[in-house]
Amino acid sequence: MKINLIVLLIVLSNILFAQSSDSIKARAIFDWITDNIEYDIEAYQNNKVSWVQCDVENVLKTKKAVCEGYARLFQKMAQDSGLECKVITGKAKTFGFGDQAWNAVKIDSVWRLVDACWGAGGYRGNRFIKSKNLFYFFTPPEKLILTHFPDFQEYQFLKNPITRQKFFGSENTGYSPVMYTLLLAEVSDYSYAEMIAMNVVTGYGRAVITYDPATKKYLVYSGQFTSEKEAIEASKTVENCSVKKLVK
């Protein structure tokens, strides 16, 4: 892969100087990427995602990327700092199942999972909202598998890997949209909705904020479920929430 080595060396020298621990190196790289790279919302929303958003040199130049661009940049920076790192591809749960790429980096002989894309923030409308989420740095495999399903079973890094049917649900083997979610809040102020979304940890995926023009309120959702029973069971772990059926 051709890359602007001068730019890369400057980046690496700034974030890795005087840092010897592999975990500190990985965290420094994660911090730099999530602080400096924005999700390319325009390309995603206009269905114009191509190799450009995944090319490391272009990502460094534009400071924009999609998930694979984040993962490839993390891999290149990790490898150039002496770390063994892989790009993992697969499917991720949001309000459906979409393509996703993330990383596995070897730290002290143990593979650790990182998703710098989801760790960088989210978006509102057509604007990227920078909001670092450390949950996606060294995420335990048993937690990441709730939302990320790799193409190859070995990259689950689980002693007892889960099946494709369990992840996607018996009714959703064709990656059709999930049916139920948790409504965590219905508020008038976006900043309050964002605060709720940032602080909610259910173990069932990240929170998503939507706007309902009918009620003029912001709705905070979290979780993806293939049956009402499963959603209701999950709702018992979150205070003051209700289960809603998604409108397809």
Side-chain angles (χ1 to χ4, degrees):
M1 179 187 297
K2 184 179 179 181
I3 185 171
N4 189 330
L5 293 177
I6 295 177
V7 173
L8 190 59
L9 287 171
I10 291 173
V11 170
L12 290 174
S13 64
N14 285 340
I15 66 175
L16 300 179
F17 179 72
Q19 305 204 40
S20 58
S21 166
D22 286 349
S23 61
I24 293 176
K25 287 181 182 180
R27 174 60 189 276
I29 294 168
F30 178 84
D31 284 347
W32 190 89
I33 292 175
T34 54
D35 287 343
N36 291 278
I37 306 300
E38 294 189 3
Y39 191 81
D40 196 336
I41 298 169
E42 182 180 358
Y44 174 74
Q45 292 186 338
N46 292 295
N47 198 28
K48 294 181 178 180
V49 175
S50 68
W51 67 269
V52 174
Q53 287 80 21
C54 306
D55 178 70
V56 172
E57 187 173 358
N58 188 72
V59 170
L60 286 171
K61 180 181 178 180
T62 64
K63 300 293 179 69
K64 289 187 177 182
V66 291
C67 60
E68 189 171 342
Y70 277 91
R72 291 193 179 279
L73 177 58
F74 187 95
Q75 180 190 45
K76 181 61 177 173
M77 295 177 75
Q79 290 176 338
D80 283 7
S81 65
L83 301 177
E84 188 175 351
C85 185
K86 300 177 183 290
V87 172
I88 300 175
T89 57
K91 296 289 182 180
K93 291 182 181 181
T94 51
F95 287 142
F97 301 103
D99 294 333
Q100 185 69 15
W102 60 99
N103 295 100
V105 58
K106 186 172 281 190
I107 304 296
D108 299 325
S109 301
V110 177
W111 287 104
R112 306 299 298 270
L113 297 170
V114 176
D115 189 337
C117 178
W118 279 26
Y123 60 90
R124 178 178 62 188
N126 60 356
R127 187 164 66 91
F128 177 76
I129 306 296
K130 187 178 293 184
S131 178
K132 185 180 299 184
N133 188 341
L134 292 176
F135 176 78
Y136 296 106
F137 177 74
F138 288 3
T139 314
E142 64 272 15
K143 294 293 185 182
L144 197 65
I145 196 61
L146 296 173
T147 54
H148 292 55
F149 190 84
D151 290 329
F152 298 98
Q153 187 182 79
E154 63 190 279
Y155 294 142
Q156 291 186 28
F157 298 105
L158 293 172
K159 187 175 295 184
N160 299 303
I162 73 165
T163 64
R164 177 174 294 272
Q165 184 177 16
K166 182 175 181 181
F167 182 84
F168 295 107
S170 58
E171 300 173 5
N172 293 286
T173 53
Y175 308 138
S176 59
V178 292
M179 297 298 294
Y180 294 86
T181 189
L182 306 184
L183 177 63
L184 301 170
E186 186 174 343
V187 296
S188 299
D189 181 64
Y190 177 81
S191 61
Y192 184 46
E194 189 175 39
M195 182 188 73
I196 294 170
M198 289 175 62
N199 287 283
V200 166
V201 179
T202 68
Y204 296 95
R206 56 181 176 175
V208 176
I209 302 172
T210 63
Y211 181 73
D212 182 3
T215 61
K216 296 183 179 180
K217 289 186 177 181
Y218 294 98
L219 310 176
V220 183
Y221 291 105
S222 185
Q224 312 88 29
F225 310 97
T226 57
S227 70
E228 185 175 18
K229 180 180 178 181
E230 184 184 3
I232 290 173
E233 283 300 309
S235 71
K236 295 176 182 178
T237 67
V238 184
E239 189 176 356
N240 300 323
C241 72
S242 59
V243 175
K244 291 284 185 178
K245 187 172 184 178
L246 291 177
V247 178
K248 291 189 177 182

